[in-house]
Amino acid sequence: MKLNQVSFSFFIALSIPANVFAASCENYPAEIGAVVTPTTNGPKVVSTAQISVPFDDVDEIIDAYNEARLEAKIQISDFLNTKIAKECKRNTEKFSKTVMNLEENGNGSKNIDITKSKEMLCKSIESTSSLLRGVSDVGRCYTPGKFVMVTIGIKPSTVMEVNKLNDYMNNK
């Protein structure tokens, strides 16, 4: 089994161009985040994500590229559709303390001291879900021992091509 993993990693390393691993992100043209640009055919969205790579290992680099691509897609999805919810749980506890004071005539009086303790825990939940069509790779880079960056994009022409391909596949 270990031989298969090593063989697969070696195959992947050979199938990916060497400049993908060697190209530094020093002059990478894109910044982290999603950017929308209007065009005559509709909006174009470009998204860049960065994932750290603590040490130079082929498997780590490939995983980081995949994670960065996914993160870039999430940024686009977040731009298109985000749900935010807040949930709070309130807990109130009462502690009572009874103090008995006796007067000289034997009559007693009660003093009650009530202390309330309130606790409120809130959590925020953010979720995004979108069907992204026509996503294409725009660029990627790797700074050895530091991080990878991946840029993806969606433009009207790629969305139209995906729709045409889907129509073709559905009619066959």
Side-chain angles (χ1 to χ4, degrees):
M1 187 69 170
K2 205 120 170 105
L3 181 60
N4 287 342
Q5 289 174 338
V6 171
S7 298
F8 178 73
S9 297
F10 186 69
F11 171 75
I12 292 295
L14 290 177
S15 65
I16 296 175
N19 64 349
V20 166
F21 293 110
S24 172
C25 298
E26 186 176 334
N27 295 319
Y28 196 68
E31 291 187 22
I32 297 169
V35 177
V36 179
T37 307
T39 68
T40 56
N41 295 330
K44 175 177 82 171
V45 183
V46 175
S47 177
T48 301
Q50 176 179 309
I51 300 296
S52 66
V53 180
F55 54 91
D56 295 327
D57 175 69
V58 173
D59 291 331
E60 288 294 318
I61 297 166
I62 291 169
D63 287 346
Y65 276 132
N66 289 334
E67 189 178 344
R69 191 170 195 279
L70 178 62
E71 184 61 34
K73 286 181 183 179
I74 290 169
Q75 290 174 3
I76 292 174
S77 179
D78 186 50
F79 170 76
L80 296 173
N81 180 22
T82 300
K83 293 181 194 175
I84 297 178
K86 183 177 181 180
E87 179 182 296
C88 293
K89 180 180 178 184
R90 177 175 259 162
N91 185 17
T92 303
E93 294 183 32
K94 294 181 182 178
F95 301 96
S96 60
K97 178 180 174 184
T98 305
V99 179
M100 204 53 134
N101 292 329
L102 293 177
E103 298 173 4
E104 284 184 24
N105 62 8
N107 294 330
S109 65
K110 276 198 245 180
N111 293 329
I112 299 175
D113 182 15
I114 298 176
T115 304
K116 287 185 181 181
S117 173
K118 292 184 181 181
E119 175 183 62
M120 186 179 325
L121 296 175
C122 294
K123 64 179 176 180
S124 298
I125 301 165
E126 181 177 4
S127 67
T128 181
S129 174
S130 300
L131 175 62
L132 301 179
R133 294 174 169 250
V135 175
S136 60
D137 291 353
V138 175
R140 59 174 54 195
C141 67
Y142 170 56
T143 298
K146 293 190 177 181
F147 58 86
V148 299
M149 292 178 79
V150 172
T151 302
I152 61 168
I154 302 174
K155 58 185 178 179
S157 61
T158 59
V159 173
M160 290 187 319
E161 291 302 317
V162 167
N163 289 337
K164 286 179 188 176
L165 183 60
N166 282 334
D167 289 345
Y168 175 79
M169 305 262 309
N170 289 333
N171 291 327
K172 289 293 170 181

